[in-house]
Amino acid sequence: MNKDFMLALDELCKDKNVEKDVILDALEKALVKSYQKNYDNQENVDVVIDHETGEIGVFALKDVVEQVEDPINQISLKDAKDVDSSLAVGDTARIKLVPKNFGRVAAQTARNIVIQKIRDAQRESLFGDYLDRENELITGSIQRVDKYNVYVNLDKIEGIVPLKEQVATESYIPNERMKFLIKEVRNSGKDPQIVLSRSSENLVTRLFELEVPEITDGVIEIYSIAREAGSRTKMAVFSNDDTIDAVGACIGYKGARVNTIVDSLQGEKIDIINYSKDIEAFISNALSPADIIEVYVNERNKQSLVVVEDDQLSLAIGKEGQNARLAARLTGWKIDIKSKLEFDRLSQEDIDEILEINEKEDLPGEEESQIEENSPIEDLDQEQIDQVSEEVSENDEEEISEKVED
């Protein structure tokens, strides 16, 4: 250990982004064990490394006693005074050792410790860097593809796209640069494992945040997204500023913004609609591009019946039901779509059945107004007591009226 080693260590720590003190502290502890092992010595030893010069000091730690019973770990007061005149019985004497060939042992141990500590520190540093970036967008170049995973070069580390996070319609070509979502960061035994995604709905969210400044600024907000990766995405947005059109801002001038995102998703179609607090309007918007005649809703169980023109039925449902399926996921409501002709043939009972309307459910308060005969009065709250009193008063008035008439 000398100045040259310390200079080299400084450069290495800067290059690997590792604290020098962390390595040197670990070295001190490792050299204690190395000394005891190599010299078959049970002495209580302390090793100190000068962090500026790299000089190693090896000290035997011995208890100061009047009568020595354990020569390895004890020293007489008289001998201790020769080391340090201020020592007294009960103190610990630090006796400097000059072990033969310890420099060679120290160098070998130092090399192994430095390598291991740098690896550990790098792993922890990388894990910390990427752990804070979960659910963020990252760009990487594809290295290789096997049957199950796509391996991506992220400069400092390698990321993987497992099969369930891949998009079946996409092509992953080596050396091609793509954007990914950091799905998960796992602290594995060797290097942190960065799990990436191309199929997540959040990938679309992050792409729009990248391309639409109004979303980043909070002027426009994304209410919900429904995605079938590789095929189609529906996104509901709203504006916090009445002067800004949320859909228009996301599309951009001549479609520039949305087309950039479509290119990033290798041609996936994106429908952007306006979110509305009026659920009927929201469902109508969600089923675009179909024109909607009427929407009937049952808010209790989030069931809706949508009526469209006969020639709009297939458009509203979409290929293999995709449009209706995405609209249902976007709104969080069940959606049943009927053509005008089909709707006209339905009776009110049929409509109620579609909307899952229960006759008892539509009589609010009926069950609440009924109180069990055996309910003890102390179990009733004041509202229930007042309700019972009103019912009793009404019954008394009816009985009095009947008697007067008689």
Side-chain angles (χ1 to χ4, degrees):
M1 298 282 283
N2 50 34
K3 288 185 178 180
D4 290 339
F5 176 79
M6 296 304 291
L7 289 172
L9 186 60
D10 284 337
E11 292 298 321
L12 192 61
C13 289
K14 288 178 183 178
D15 183 53
K16 301 296 183 180
N17 192 27
V18 179
E19 291 291 335
K20 183 175 75 171
D21 289 348
V22 173
I23 295 177
L24 291 177
D25 289 343
L27 267 175
E28 290 175 352
K29 294 175 184 177
L31 290 175
V32 169
K33 294 181 180 179
S34 177
Y35 174 86
Q36 293 173 339
K37 179 181 178 181
N38 282 276
Y39 295 97
D40 194 22
N41 198 326
Q42 298 303 313
E43 281 185 302
N44 190 9
V45 177
D46 184 27
V47 174
V48 178
I49 301 176
D50 189 308
H51 288 204
E52 297 298 326
T53 65
E55 183 181 352
I56 298 176
V58 184
F59 300 88
L61 305 181
K62 297 190 177 187
D63 298 329
V64 180
V65 296
E66 290 284 359
Q67 186 73 29
V68 176
E69 296 179 358
D70 180 5
I72 293 178
N73 295 306
Q74 292 179 343
I75 187 172
S76 67
L77 179 60
K78 180 183 177 183
D79 292 340
K81 290 288 186 180
D82 293 338
V83 176
D84 186 347
S85 59
S86 64
L87 291 173
V89 173
D91 292 341
T92 300
R94 292 173 61 86
I95 304 170
K96 189 167 185 178
L97 302 175
V98 187
K100 188 179 179 181
N101 296 327
F102 187 62
R104 179 183 58 79
V105 174
Q108 185 177 4
T109 303
R111 177 182 177 277
N112 295 335
I113 293 296
V114 167
I115 292 172
Q116 186 59 45
K117 273 295 170 184
I118 286 176
R119 286 175 180 168
D120 292 344
Q122 276 188 298
R123 183 173 65 247
E124 290 300 321
S125 177
L126 281 172
F127 180 71
D129 289 345
Y130 285 96
L131 182 64
D132 294 337
R133 298 182 63 186
E134 275 191 4
N135 218 29
E136 285 187 8
L137 205 62
I138 192 169
T139 302
S141 59
I142 297 169
Q143 285 186 313
R144 64 189 190 281
V145 182
D146 63 21
K147 187 177 180 181
Y148 301 104
N149 299 312
V150 176
Y151 297 89
V152 182
N153 181 8
L154 302 176
D155 293 333
K156 291 183 179 179
I157 198 169
E158 184 180 73
I160 64 166
V161 187
L163 196 59
K164 67 177 182 179
E165 299 296 340
Q166 297 172 27
V167 179
T169 58
E170 288 187 340
S171 300
Y172 302 107
I173 303 169
N175 299 321
E176 182 182 10
R177 292 185 66 80
M178 295 180 73
K179 291 182 174 66
F180 302 87
L181 184 82
I182 300 177
K183 184 81 171 182
E184 185 183 359
V185 181
R186 301 171 184 163
N187 195 3
S188 59
K190 296 181 180 179
D191 291 330
Q193 190 175 50
I194 313 300
V195 181
L196 306 174
S197 175
R198 284 286 297 177
S199 63
S200 172
E201 293 174 352
N202 285 335
L203 175 65
V204 180
T205 301
R206 297 292 171 262
L207 287 171
F208 271 97
E209 289 174 351
L210 185 66
E211 294 295 331
V212 184
E214 292 87 347
I215 294 179
T216 307
D217 296 339
V219 178
I220 294 173
E221 293 187 38
I222 299 174
Y223 177 78
S224 60
I225 286 183
R227 184 185 184 201
E228 292 190 356
S231 179
R232 195 180 203 94
T233 290
K234 278 185 180 286
M235 183 174 77
V237 296
F238 64 93
S239 175
N240 293 314
D241 186 340
D242 295 337
T243 63
I244 295 179
D245 174 21
V247 174
C250 291
I251 293 174
Y253 180 67
K254 292 185 178 180
R257 290 175 174 176
V258 74
N259 286 340
T260 300
I261 296 170
V262 168
D263 290 343
S264 296
L265 298 176
Q266 296 194 6
E268 183 175 315
K269 294 175 180 153
I270 300 177
D271 297 337
I272 307 171
I273 65 138
N274 280 310
Y275 164 72
S276 174
K277 292 182 179 178
D278 180 355
I279 189 58
E280 296 176 12
F282 187 24
I283 291 173
S284 296
N285 293 342
L287 286 169
S288 65
D291 294 326
I292 309 302
I293 298 175
E294 191 66 71
V295 178
Y296 300 89
V297 299
N298 179 0
E299 293 190 3
R300 186 184 292 263
N301 57 11
K302 292 190 172 183
Q303 177 73 45
S304 67
L305 172 61
V306 177
V307 184
V308 299
E309 292 289 356
D310 297 345
D311 61 351
Q312 293 286 299
L313 182 62
S314 60
L315 187 60
I317 295 174
K319 184 178 180 182
E320 297 179 351
Q322 185 185 67
N323 195 55
R325 188 166 56 249
L326 288 174
R329 286 169 49 193
L330 189 72
T331 59
W333 279 60
K334 298 176 184 176
I335 300 176
D336 198 312
I337 305 173
K338 300 290 183 185
S339 68
K340 181 79 166 56
L341 183 62
E342 290 174 324
F343 180 76
D344 290 340
R345 293 173 181 169
L346 298 177
S347 65
Q348 187 59 47
E349 290 77 12
D350 294 332
I351 295 174
D352 290 346
E353 185 178 348
I354 292 171
L355 293 176
E356 297 180 5
I357 293 176
N358 187 308
E359 201 168 311
K360 290 183 179 180
E361 289 179 352
D362 287 347
L363 297 174
E366 179 180 285
E367 293 180 2
E368 291 81 354
S369 67
Q370 296 175 353
I371 301 174
E372 294 181 10
E373 294 179 1
N374 297 326
S375 296
I377 191 69
E378 57 265 26
D379 291 342
L380 305 179
D381 58 29
Q382 187 60 46
E383 185 178 348
Q384 290 174 315
I385 293 171
D386 293 340
Q387 184 178 342
V388 173
S389 300
E390 290 175 4
E391 291 176 357
V392 170
S393 299
E394 290 174 1
N395 291 336
D396 290 343
E397 288 175 6
E398 289 175 4
E399 289 177 8
I400 292 170
S401 297
E402 289 174 1
K403 288 181 180 179
V404 170
E405 289 176 359
D406 291 338

